[in-house]
Amino acid sequence: MAELATIARPYAKALFELAVEKGYTEAWLEKLKELAWAVGQPKLSAFIEDAGITSSVKADTLIGLLDDIHAPQYAELRNFLYVLSEGGRLMVLPSIYAQYQEFVLSKEHVQKAVIYSAFPMSEGQFAKVVSDCQQKFGNKLDATLEIMPELIGGIKIEVGDKVLDLSVQGKLKNLYSAMVN
């Protein structure tokens, strides 16, 4: 995975900078999301990886899957797909999308967060946890909730490369570590 992220970073950054310059960051984000999903489909993935098919046919096929892609604001995005295809990099689109999305969130001073809970939360509880996390981390958060029963109780929060483990499982691991060492 790290290798794909390394390959994707310069493409995502260049595309993001161009999108900002043109004023199309959100529109391109949606199209990248569709493309990332599409290349993850087994039949299309096999088609893209087929060495007997020319790069322009691969790019044309992807372009044909998107609605409104022939609108003027997507001209550079279409060209981007041809560049990726010629470089044999179409399968990197999911990583490009993820990094492009991070650039968009960063520009808006928003960080992605994942909140793991041992049990489901009501919308009010989730909103309170997100609000508390925004105060703690000092940024607006784009948070998602994932249920993880192995936590036993409590929550675990990941914001970027920071982890705040308030789970029973985390406390038990810390206790075990203290007892062993």
Side-chain angles (χ1 to χ4, degrees):
M1 268 312 187
E3 183 179 316
L4 286 179
T6 303
I7 293 168
R9 189 173 324 285
Y11 289 109
K13 187 172 188 213
L15 190 63
F16 176 73
E17 289 172 355
L18 182 61
V20 167
E21 179 183 313
K22 299 286 184 178
Y24 298 137
T25 51
E26 293 297 323
W28 290 8
L29 180 64
E30 285 305 309
K31 294 302 178 196
L32 281 173
K33 181 179 180 180
E34 293 174 32
L35 289 165
W37 177 84
V39 300
Q41 303 309 304
K43 287 184 180 181
L44 189 57
S45 177
F47 174 80
I48 290 170
E49 291 176 349
D50 187 340
I53 300 172
T54 66
S55 62
S56 61
V57 170
K58 292 174 186 179
D60 287 338
T61 301
L62 277 177
I63 289 168
L65 295 175
L66 301 174
D67 293 331
D68 302 334
I69 194 67
H70 295 291
Q73 70 261 32
Y74 299 118
E76 290 88 356
L77 190 57
R78 289 190 307 269
N79 291 339
F80 178 74
L81 288 175
Y82 284 109
V83 168
L84 281 181
S85 186
E86 286 182 23
R89 303 279 197 222
L90 287 174
M91 293 308 294
V92 182
L93 274 166
S95 291
I96 292 171
Y97 164 68
Q99 290 189 25
Y100 182 95
Q101 185 178 37
E102 289 296 321
F103 287 131
V104 170
L105 291 174
S106 175
K107 178 180 177 254
E108 297 170 356
H109 303 292
V110 176
Q111 285 188 296
K112 282 188 96 47
V114 181
I115 298 171
Y116 300 96
S117 174
F119 302 100
M121 291 184 193
S122 69
E123 284 186 33
Q125 291 170 323
F126 182 68
K128 172 74 171 126
V129 169
V130 171
S131 173
D132 291 348
C133 289
Q134 287 179 139
Q135 287 179 342
K136 170 138 181 79
F137 292 104
N139 276 337
K140 192 173 176 191
L141 299 177
D142 177 20
T144 57
L145 176 65
E146 291 190 24
I147 306 304
M148 197 179 213
E150 58 267 22
L151 294 179
I152 304 170
I155 59 175
K156 180 177 172 183
I157 304 156
E158 292 180 0
V159 178
D161 60 351
K162 299 175 191 136
V163 177
L164 180 59
D165 193 346
L166 304 171
S167 69
V168 173
Q169 180 190 45
K171 293 182 190 306
L172 288 172
K173 282 182 181 177
N174 289 341
L175 179 63
Y176 176 78
S177 207
M179 289 172 49
V180 171
N181 295 328

